[in-house]
């Protein structure tokens, strides 16, 4: 009987994305998350006395150049060496792009698979054969698994492979292959990397993505960690997911239909947050909040988004006892249908409302407004203009979303006399 | 929408306060309330009534939240009325008037045409502060026309401020060329962070380079260290020998000297010191011995001279007692003298008092005068009683004449009053007539109304052409029923429709016919279409020609006429050939045309057929038309006949339908007026009857005279006054009589009290006489005299008592003095007979002095004896010490082998020198042993002496230099190793770069939010500007025109108006135009007040524009005129009154003078005044 750990997509020293710091945000808890998650992994390997650790690619971030990251990795590997634990690595697309790995001197317990052809390493004392091949370049479009040898009879065969399998959303289609192709090799376990969401493909033998060790942004939500595999009576295996993340990313929707005031909304958020805290064992959390629904508080909140975002944050501070970082608050509120305007009158304010309606209906008119923002646009770093949550000054939809928020804010500023008592 | 009523049921300071706002066309309502009357609360209530009471309302200081209620009746232009109660709560706060059933908020919102609370407050609420802010905002914005017009159209008072505020927030976030704004700062941090990150990242090659350098340095260092070990060993050995050479020389010298001192006795080290000490000790002991002997002799001499009296010392205690007593004795003698003087004075005073009371008595007999306690009390009480009785008697004597005078006065008043008349008859008549008084006026009005109605009836009657009938008979007239008229109307209609149809058909048919004929003509005019007949005719003519030609060819004769006729029949032909050719061509042409124009031929045939058919149809229609006209004439005759009985020539049935309806209404009116007339007449009769009764009543009671034409109500009023006067008179008389009776009763009582008091006084006199007898007074004595006597007696006995006490104290002092003398005499007899003749106090003093002297002498003797014993002890001790020291010195001499103590110093010196030499030798050996590094001292010395001493120093220098060189090289290597290690330790897997990358993401996160915020603000600012421009373009013309006229009015003509101009920077602005000379005034040049008024004019113009296009909402004005002078305030009030034609205006004010100003300025039909009270 022996145990091993299957992990992948460690992306050491890759930072957590776009966390806006505010007074009371749990800054210290969020420091060096990927390193600490990796330390957790090593600790787990030592505690479970595993025979070996498999790393299925993407140890480092492709464009990360700091050799210190490599040295940190070496130090951790040395801990495993001292405990007699072997480590098998295939390089992934990020590793192929990375310069650190080229010069790094690894301890002798770490075995990196070659890039030219698949290779096999055998652990005679426990009858295990590990087959693998590293990425030679950052882009590998051919099916690497085809070249993997047939299973060694009398051994527990493991395939270590960095691959998108048949393709997974949000991930580059590298080293594509099919579950059937993998099964035909007759191995006992396929340890896959590249896809950040953990997954076990249906059927036998197990074809497993361990997912990444630590979520790094608002789209890598939920528990992250590695697979602890116990081989009791070969080829029967027991696969257990072990979280290693030190910070957890979550996205939550708060339904606020029927609420009467901004403070009601903050209360509803608070209740939701208590549930999240219970579900996540007190781990520090980065939460993206989406407040949604038909409410009387719509105007009140949209009139001052900054203020209500801050109210949400301070509620999180209070309830989360300093362990919750509210990454972003998105408000999708609509006024209750009963109080929508019955009729449009012919006044100055109505001219403004008409203008807003026109802007809502005509994408070209919205685009004309984008020139107002061109001064800023020139100075924005590219990191803000790329990706799913990018700022898109020239996208009519993005402008429309902004205008939906501008409208109540402006009306409230103009007509705030009525709210004084 | 307008508010008909606002009910402050339970709100703020109000409980069930109603404002009836239903009067006026729309109504210009002026609500006046003093400060604290709750004006602001009422204003708030108005808004809360429409839009709900806010969750944290402060208006619950009387009524708790659950009880707060505002009621309202509101109505829109269509006349929909909405009555409800607003309560405070989180939902369903609208209730019906029963305060129970829930009403839908949406229903109310419909009446408000979707205007929400913000818009309502902004647009339809206007307070003084708004005016000031609006004015200030105009100046701040420099009169920008777009802003002004937008502000006027919306009611926003601080548009410029809002725009500036937006811009300010934008600027705080980002400026294209700034450093400080939040986003600029973040961008700066971002690029700094990028640089730092680049620097912090460790390139892999560098680590490899440093690692190699470290290894090389370490290897080199190892070699140098090995060399150093060898060199150091050699150097060390040479240095030891070099150091040992002087020691070896010294060792030899000492060994020589030791031979000289080898036989010296080694004395202990402390020997010399001990000898010195013994010599000192002998000296001290001898000095002590001599001093003791001298002291003993002196003490013995002193003892012999002392004098001590033991007899005195035996009685020392008694002498001390006497001496203590001496002080008391002397003080008592002094006191006795003072006591005696005091006693004599008291006795003298007592004697004096006694003499004033009874000259016959001595002091010893005075005791007889002492009276008992109860007797004294009795006399005092009687004295007090006397005062009381006398006061009462005097009181009563004063009161009696005053009462008699008052009674006389009242009697006089009664005599002056008239006797009241009997009024009961009149009162009864009044009671009956009272209810008819008000009816009388009503009856008169009713009669007038009836007259008016009758006149209306007469006018209507003649309008209905029924002037020839008596008005009262109208009801009896039988006019044709509405049905009959309707039937006629229908019949006329049917007939007329038929006639009209026929006429139209005739017209149409005739038109058709004419059209057909026109088409036929057209055909004809165009060119006659050839017919078959034409072809036939042409052929015949051709054939005729051909026959002639045939005949010519056959040379048959052709008659000339025939030929000629033939040729001439053909136009333009000169001869047969030409004629025939023409005929030939003609036949061809006709036949061609026939073939070619077959359609035209057919059309022409159809037209001709149509013409025939239309002719027939027209004839039939004309016939029908005539028959219908006849029928109509018959129906008209029948219609006239129906109206014959009323004597009316009817107009059309439709008109007469109207007539019948009016006739019916007229007859209804006639009937109604008849009923009303009957009732009014009956009432008049009743009133007259009542009047008569009242007149009779008055006459019967000789009441006031009655004018013939006096109205009942006038009469009632006068009769009531008369009855009232009579009642007043009786009341006054009764009052006076009661007063008189009361006074008489008081007089009787006063008299009887006086008699009672006189009696008490007599009884008192008797008791008094008895009481004062005991103190020797007669009955005539007054209480004051008795009191004086008693005071003297008290004083006399007090003095006697004090004198007695003093006597006793003097006796006590004399007793003590005798005892003292006896004691002193006794002592003198025992121990000092020489003093017997001296007075006791002197003797006591002398005894005491002698006693003290003896005591001192005795104490001195004791001291001397003690000292003598001590000195004897010291003498013995000194002698012992001397003996002991001498013995020890003898011992020392023996130890040193000396014969006497004088030889001891030389022995000591020799011993010391021997010891010194031995010690030095031992030290040198120890050092040599150390330097020998393990060899024996002798071997070491041998080896050292074997070396050339002159070469050693040079060899040492050489070795030292070589070692130094190697050390320097090693140290340099250490530095290299250190720095390489430092470099490598920096590369210890530090997370510095990773943290910078994290920081980079944090800055990005912040930027992400700020950029969105910036975009929102920037867009808001832009959209607002666009809306302002658009609204200006749309509304500028009419709005400015109206505002200009309002501004002129509100400023009382000081300005002619306003107009749009361009400022120097080309901005469109609004400026004021002066009336005198048309000077232009920019908004910056206007006074605060004028700017406020400009804002007001624009606001009102904006409001009017709104009201022209939308359902109106009430304008709520809060004391905007407080800073206006009266002229401008009056002008503004008029403008508001005019505005109230378009919408309800509710004006709240604290200022009484504004109310008066409004009353004087605004038409009473438009102004509705309300006073606000809690």
């Amino acid at each position: 009987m022996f145990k091993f750990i299957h992990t992948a997509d460690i992306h050491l020293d890759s930072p957590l994305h776009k966390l806006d710091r505010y007074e009371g945000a749990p800054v210290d808890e969020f420091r060096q998350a990927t390193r600490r998650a990796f330390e957790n992994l090593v600790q787990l390997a030592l505690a479970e006395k595993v025979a070996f650790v498999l790393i299925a690619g993407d140890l480092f971030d492709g464009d990360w150049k700091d050799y210190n990251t490599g040295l940190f990795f070496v130090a951790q590997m040395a801990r495993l060496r001292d405990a007699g634990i072997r480590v098998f690595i295939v390089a992934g697309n990020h590793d192929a792009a990375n310069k650190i790995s080229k010069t790094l001197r690894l301890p002798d317990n770490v075995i990196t698979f070659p890039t030219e052809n698949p290779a096999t390493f055998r652990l005679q004392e426990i009858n295990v054969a590990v087959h693998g091949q590293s990425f030679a370049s950052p882009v590998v479009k051919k099916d690497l698994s085809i070249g993997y040898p047939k299973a060694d009879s009398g051994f527990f065969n493991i395939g270590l492979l960095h691959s998108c399998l048949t393709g997974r959303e949000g991930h580059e289609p590298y080293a594509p292959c099919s579950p059937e192709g993998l099964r035909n090799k007759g191995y006992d376990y396929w340890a896959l990397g590249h896809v950040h969401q953990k997954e076990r493909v249906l059927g036998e033998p197990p074809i497993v993505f361990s997912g990444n060790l630590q979520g790094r942004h608002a789209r890598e939500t939920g528990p992250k960690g590695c697979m602890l595999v116990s081989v009791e009576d070969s080829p029967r295996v027991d696969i257990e997911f072990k979280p290693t993340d030190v910070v957890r990313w979550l996205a939550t929707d708060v339904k606020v239909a029927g609420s009467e005031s901004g403070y009601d909304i903050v209360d509803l958020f608070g209740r939701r947050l208590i549930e999240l805290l219970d579900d996540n064992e007190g781990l520090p959390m980065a939460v993206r909040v989406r407040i949604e629904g038909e409410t009387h508080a719509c105007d009140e909140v949209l009139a001052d988004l900054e203020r209500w975002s801050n109210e949400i944050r301070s509620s999180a501070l209070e309830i989360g006892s300093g362990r919750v970082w509210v990454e972003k608050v998105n408000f999708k509120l609509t006024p209750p249908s009963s109080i929508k305007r019955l009729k449009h009158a012919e006044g100055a304010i109505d001219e403004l409302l008409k203008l807003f309606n026109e802007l809502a209906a005509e994408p070209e008119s919205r685009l004309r407004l984008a020139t107002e923002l061109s001064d800023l646009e020139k100075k924005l770093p590219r990191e803000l203009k790329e990706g799913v949550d990018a700022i898109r000054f020239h996208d009519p939809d993005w402008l429309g979303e902004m205008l939906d928020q501008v409208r109540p804010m402006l009306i409230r500023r103009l007509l705030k006399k009525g709210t004084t008592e | 929408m307008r508010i008909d009523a606002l009910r402050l049921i339970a709100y703020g300071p109000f409980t069930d306060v109603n404002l009836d706002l239903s009067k006026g066309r729309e109504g210009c309502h002026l609500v006046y309330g003093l400060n604290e009357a709750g004006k602001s609360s009422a204003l708030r209530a108005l808004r809360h009534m429409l839009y709900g009471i806010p969750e944290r309302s402060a208006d619950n200081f009387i009524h708790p939240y659950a009880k707060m209620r505002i009621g309202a009746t509101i109505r829109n232009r269509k006349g929909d009325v909405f009555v409800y109660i607003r309560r405070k709560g989180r939902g369903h706060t609208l209730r019906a008037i029963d305060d129970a059933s829930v009403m839908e908020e949406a229903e109310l919102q419909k009446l408000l045409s979707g205007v929400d609370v913000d818009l309502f407050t902004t647009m339809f609420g206007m307070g003084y502060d708004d005016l000031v802010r609006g004015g200030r905002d105009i100046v701040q914005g420099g009169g920008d026309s777009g802003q002004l017009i937008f502000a006027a159209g919306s009611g926003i008072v601080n548009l410029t401020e809002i725009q500036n505020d937006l811009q300010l927030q934008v600027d705080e976030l980002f400026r294209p060329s700034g450093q400080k704004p939040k986003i600029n700062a973040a961008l700066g941090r971002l690029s700094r962070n990028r640089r730092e990150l680049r620097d912090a990242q460790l390139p892999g090659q560098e680590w490899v380079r440093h690692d190699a350098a470290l290894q090389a340095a370490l290897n080199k260092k190892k070699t140098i260290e090995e060399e150093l070990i060898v060199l150091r060993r050699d150097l060390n050995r040479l240095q030891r020998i070099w150091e040992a050479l002087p020691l070896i020389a010294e060792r030899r010298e000492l060994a020589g000297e030791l031979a000289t001192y080898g036989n010296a006795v080694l004395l202990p080290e402390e020997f010399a010191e001990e000898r010195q000490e013994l010599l000192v000790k002998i000296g001290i002991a001898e000095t002590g011995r001599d001093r003791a002997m001298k002291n003993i002799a002196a003490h013995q001499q002193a003892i012999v001279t002392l004098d001590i009296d033991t007899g005195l010392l035996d009685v020392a205690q008694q002498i001390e007692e006497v001496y203590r007593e001496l002080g008391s004795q002397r003080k008592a003698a002094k006191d006795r003298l003072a006591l005696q003087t005091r006693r004599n004075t008291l006795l003298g005073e007592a004697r004096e008092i006694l003499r004033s009371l009874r000259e016959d008595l001595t002091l010893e007999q005075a005791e007889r005068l002492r009276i008992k306690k109860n007797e004294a009390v009795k006399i005092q009480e009687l004295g007090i009683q006397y005062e009381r009785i006398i006061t009462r008697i005097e009181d009563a004597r004063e009161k009696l004449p005053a009462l008699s005078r008052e009674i006389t006065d009242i009697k006089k008043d009664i005599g002056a009053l008239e006797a009241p008349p009997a009024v009961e008859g009149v009162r009864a008549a009044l009671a009956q007539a009272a209810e008819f008084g008000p009816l009388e006026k009503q009856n008169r009005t009713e009669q007038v109304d009836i007259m008016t109605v009758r006149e209306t009836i007469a006018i209507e009657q003649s309008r209905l052409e029924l002037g020839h009938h008596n008005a009262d008979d109208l009801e009896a007239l039988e006019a044709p029923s509405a049905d009959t008229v309707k039937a006629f109307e229908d019949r006329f209609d049917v007939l007329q429709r038929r006639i009209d149809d026929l006429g139209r058909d005739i017209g149409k048919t005739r038109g058709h016919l004419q059209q057909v004929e026109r088409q036929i003509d057209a055909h004809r005019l165009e060119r006659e279409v050839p017919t078959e007949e034409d072809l036939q005719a042409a052929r015949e003519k051709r054939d005729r020609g051909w026959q002639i030609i045939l005949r010519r060819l056959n040379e048959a004769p052709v008659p000339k006429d025939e030929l000629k006729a033939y040729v001439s029949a053909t136009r333009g032909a000169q001869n047969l050939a030409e004629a025939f050719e023409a005929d030939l061509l003609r036949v061809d042409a006709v036949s061609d045309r026939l073939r070619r124009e077959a359609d035209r031929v057919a059309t022409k045939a159809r037209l001709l057929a149509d013409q025939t058919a239309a002719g027939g149809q027209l004839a039939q229609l004309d016939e029908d038309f005539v028959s219908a006209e006849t029928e109509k004439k018959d129906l008209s005759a029948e219609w006239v006949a129906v109206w014959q009985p009323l004597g009316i020539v009817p107009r059309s049935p439709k008109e007469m339908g109207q007539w019948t309806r009016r006739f019916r209404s007229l007859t209804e009116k006639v009937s109604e007026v008849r009923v009303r007339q009957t009732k009014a007449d009956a009432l008049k009769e009743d009133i007259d009857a009542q009047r008569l009764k009242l007149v009779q009543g008055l006459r019967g009671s000789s009441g006031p005279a009655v004018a013939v034409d006096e109205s009942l109500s006038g009469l009632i009023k006068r009769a009531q006054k008369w009855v009232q006067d009579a009642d007043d008179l009786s009341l006054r008389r009764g009052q006076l009589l009661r007063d008189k009776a009361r006074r008489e009763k008081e007089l009787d009582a006063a008299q009887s009290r006086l008699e009672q008091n006189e009696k008490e006084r007599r009884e008192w006199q008797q008791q008094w006489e008895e009481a004062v007898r005991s103190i020797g007074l007669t009955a005539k004595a007054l209480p004051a005299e008795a009191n004086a006597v008693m005071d003297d007696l008290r004083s006399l006995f007090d003095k006697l008592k004090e004198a007695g006490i003093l006597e006793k104290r003097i006796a006590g002092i004399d007793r003590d003095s005798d005892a003292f003398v006896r004691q002193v005499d006794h002592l003198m007899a025992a121990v000092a007979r020489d003093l017997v003749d001296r007075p006791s106090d002197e003797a006591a003093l002398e005894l005491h002095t002698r006693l003290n002297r003896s005591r001192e002498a005795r104490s001195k003797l004791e001291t001397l004896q003690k000292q003598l014993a001590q000195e004897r002890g010291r003498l013995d001790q000194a002698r012992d010490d001397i003996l002991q020291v001498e013995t020890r010195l003898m011992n020392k001499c023996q130890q040193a082998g000396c014969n006497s103590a004088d030889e001891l110093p030389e022995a000591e010196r020799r011993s010391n020198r021997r010891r010194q030499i031995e010690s030095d030798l031992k030290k040198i050996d120890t050092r040599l042993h150390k330097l020998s590094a393990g060899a024996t001292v002798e071997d070491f010395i041998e080896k050292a002496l074997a070396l050339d001493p002159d070469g050693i120093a040079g060899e040492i220098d050489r070795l030292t230099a070589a070692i130094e060189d190697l050390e320097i090289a090693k140290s340099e290597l250490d530095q290299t190793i250190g720095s390489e290690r430092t470099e490598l330790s920096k590369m210890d897997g530090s997370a510095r770069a990773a943290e910078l990358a994290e920081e980079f993401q944090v800055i990005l996160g912040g930027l992400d939010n700020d950029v969105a915020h910036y975009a929102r603000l920037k867009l808001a600012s832009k959209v607002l500007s666009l809306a302002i421009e658009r609204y200006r373009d749309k509304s500028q013309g009419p709005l400015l025109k109206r505002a200009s006229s309002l501004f002129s009015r509100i400023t009382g003509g000081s300005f002619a108006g306003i107009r749009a101009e361009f400022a120097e920077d080309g901005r469109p602005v609004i400026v004021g135009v002066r009336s005198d000379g048309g000077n232009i005034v920019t908004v910056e040049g206007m006074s605060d007040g004028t700017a406020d008024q400009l804002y007001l004019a624009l606001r009102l113009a904006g409001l009017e524009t709104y009201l022209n296009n939308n359902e109106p909402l009430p304008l709520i004005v809060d004391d905007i005129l407080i800073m206006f002078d009266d002229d401008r305030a009056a002008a503004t009030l008029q403008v508001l009154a005019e505005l109230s034609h378009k919408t309800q205006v509710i004006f709240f004010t604290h200022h009484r003078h504004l109310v008066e100003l409004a009353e004087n300025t605004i038409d009473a039909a438009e102004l509705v005044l309300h006073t606000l009270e809690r």
Side-chain angles (χ1 to χ4, degrees), chain A residues 33-225:
Chain A
T34 49
R35 281 197 182 197
R36 287 187 290 133
F38 191 64
E39 283 168 348
N40 284 349
L41 176 89
V42 170
Q43 197 55 45
L44 179 72
L46 297 173
E48 293 286 345
K49 298 194 170 63
V50 299
F52 55 93
V53 173
L54 304 172
I55 299 180
D58 287 358
L59 180 53
F60 303 117
D61 238 13
D63 55 357
W64 185 244
K65 297 191 186 72
D66 186 20
Y67 198 69
N68 280 311
T69 306
L71 294 175
F72 169 80
F73 176 70
V74 170
Q76 296 304 317
M77 290 304 101
R79 290 174 67 197
L80 293 180
R81 181 192 56 200
D82 295 347
I85 298 172
R86 301 280 203 106
V87 181
F88 296 95
I89 301 177
V90 289
N93 52 313
H94 275 275
D95 300 321
N98 188 285
K99 292 203 179 76
I100 304 170
S101 36
K102 308 268 188 295
T103 46
L104 201 61
R105 256 201 325 257
L106 293 168
D108 50 18
N109 63 322
V110 182
I111 293 143
T112 308
F113 282 86
T115 54
E116 306 79 31
N117 290 302
T120 302
F121 289 94
R122 293 181 181 80
L123 296 170
Q124 300 291 352
E125 67 275 19
I126 47 174
N127 282 349
V128 168
V130 184
H131 313 277
Q133 181 179 1
S134 287
F135 269 40
S137 65
V139 177
V140 173
K141 297 274 177 122
K142 65 172 189 183
D143 180 354
L144 290 181
S145 73
I146 289 174
Y148 277 40
K150 284 279 175 196
D152 278 8
S153 61
F155 280 81
F156 183 86
N157 286 274
I158 297 174
L160 187 57
L161 178 63
H162 194 74
S163 161
C164 69
L165 203 60
T166 50
R168 290 292 182 275
E169 199 191 329
H171 295 87
E172 297 292 344
Y174 293 155
C177 57
S178 67
E180 293 72 33
L182 298 184
R183 287 198 179 106
N184 286 339
K185 297 290 174 188
Y187 294 175
D188 301 298
Y189 185 93
W190 277 96
L192 267 47
H194 186 54
V195 174
H196 288 192
Q197 185 56 41
K198 65 176 189 281
E199 180 184 349
R200 180 181 169 172
V201 179
L202 282 175
E204 289 296 334
I207 301 174
V208 179
F209 284 110
S210 65
N212 55 348
L213 265 190
Q214 166 64 54
R216 295 161 308 144
H217 51 72
R219 290 176 311 285
E220 293 183 350
T221 54
K224 296 286 178 182

Side-chain angles (χ1 to χ4, degrees), chain A residues 417 421, chain B residues 29-31 33 35 38-44 47 124-132 1096 1115-1123 1136 1145-1151 1154:
Chain A
K417 208 169 89 173
E421 25 174 346
Chain B
H29 297 269
L30 192 62
V31 184
N35 280 326
K39 186 194 78 172
S40 318
S41 301
L43 263 165
R44 257 198 313 282
R47 190 170 64 249
F124 298 96
M126 199 189 328
Y128 171 67
D129 290 344
D130 296 342
L131 219 56
V132 173
L1096 178 61
L1115 175 65
I1116 316 297
V1117 187
D1118 181 13
D1119 241 352
I1120 56 171
L1121 301 177
I1122 50 179
M1123 297 304 279
L1136 289 175
V1145 176
I1146 306 177
F1147 188 115
F1148 285 86
T1149 183
H1150 278 322
H1151 299 276
L1154 280 177

Side-chain angles (χ1 to χ4, degrees), chain A residues 311-355:
Chain A
E311 293 281 359
I312 295 274
R313 282 172 166 177
S314 69
S315 163
L317 263 180
E318 211 170 284
I319 293 169
S321 20
R323 277 175 296 129
V324 179
W325 192 320
V326 176
E327 185 244 5
K328 205 182 260 293
V329 188
N330 291 322
F331 290 97
K332 302 283 172 198
L333 300 178
T334 48
S337 40
S338 65
I339 65 159
K340 277 174 190 149
R341 256 166 202 251
L342 299 173
K343 164 179 166 292
H344 278 293
E346 297 286 327
I349 292 298
D350 303 284
E351 194 63 48
L352 180 63
L353 293 176
K354 267 185 223 156
L355 183 53

Side-chain angles (χ1 to χ4, degrees), chain B residues 193-205:
Chain B
N193 178 285
R194 242 192 250 275
R195 271 201 305 281
E196 280 171 24
L197 179 57
R198 208 167 43 232
D199 294 346
Q201 281 182 335
L202 167 66
Q205 304 90 315

Side-chain angles (χ1 to χ4, degrees), chain B residues 918-1029:
Chain B
E918 284 171 355
S919 153
D920 287 353
L921 273 175
K922 202 171 178 188
K923 272 183 204 155
I924 287 170
D925 279 359
T926 311
R927 284 175 68 190
L928 284 175
H929 196 77
K930 261 187 203 157
L931 290 170
S932 72
T936 64
V937 174
E938 278 70 27
D939 286 353
F940 179 58
I941 290 172
E942 195 181 329
K943 272 183 190 162
L945 293 178
L947 281 177
D948 170 18
D950 298 329
I952 293 178
E955 185 61 15
I956 286 178
D957 286 350
R958 190 188 64 79
L959 285 173
T960 310
I963 288 171
E964 264 173 26
D965 288 349
L966 282 177
E967 286 287 2
I968 288 168
K970 188 185 154 207
S971 155
E972 278 166 0
L973 278 175
D974 276 340
Q975 273 180 18
T976 309
I977 290 165
S979 73
E980 289 302 331
R981 283 219 168 108
T982 313
E983 285 302 319
L984 284 172
S985 75
K986 281 186 204 157
M987 305 171 194
D988 58 349
S990 137
R992 168 83 187 125
E995 280 177 358
L996 283 167
E998 283 174 354
E999 181 61 25
F1000 187 84
Q1001 289 295 333
V1002 166
I1003 300 170
L1004 275 186
L1007 261 179
D1008 201 30
N1009 288 337
D1010 289 341
V1011 167
H1013 188 26
Y1014 172 83
R1016 283 193 293 269
L1017 289 166
K1018 193 78 184 167
L1019 291 174
S1021 178
K1022 179 64 182 173
V1023 173
L1024 179 57
S1025 313
L1026 285 175
I1028 288 172
E1029 261 172 54

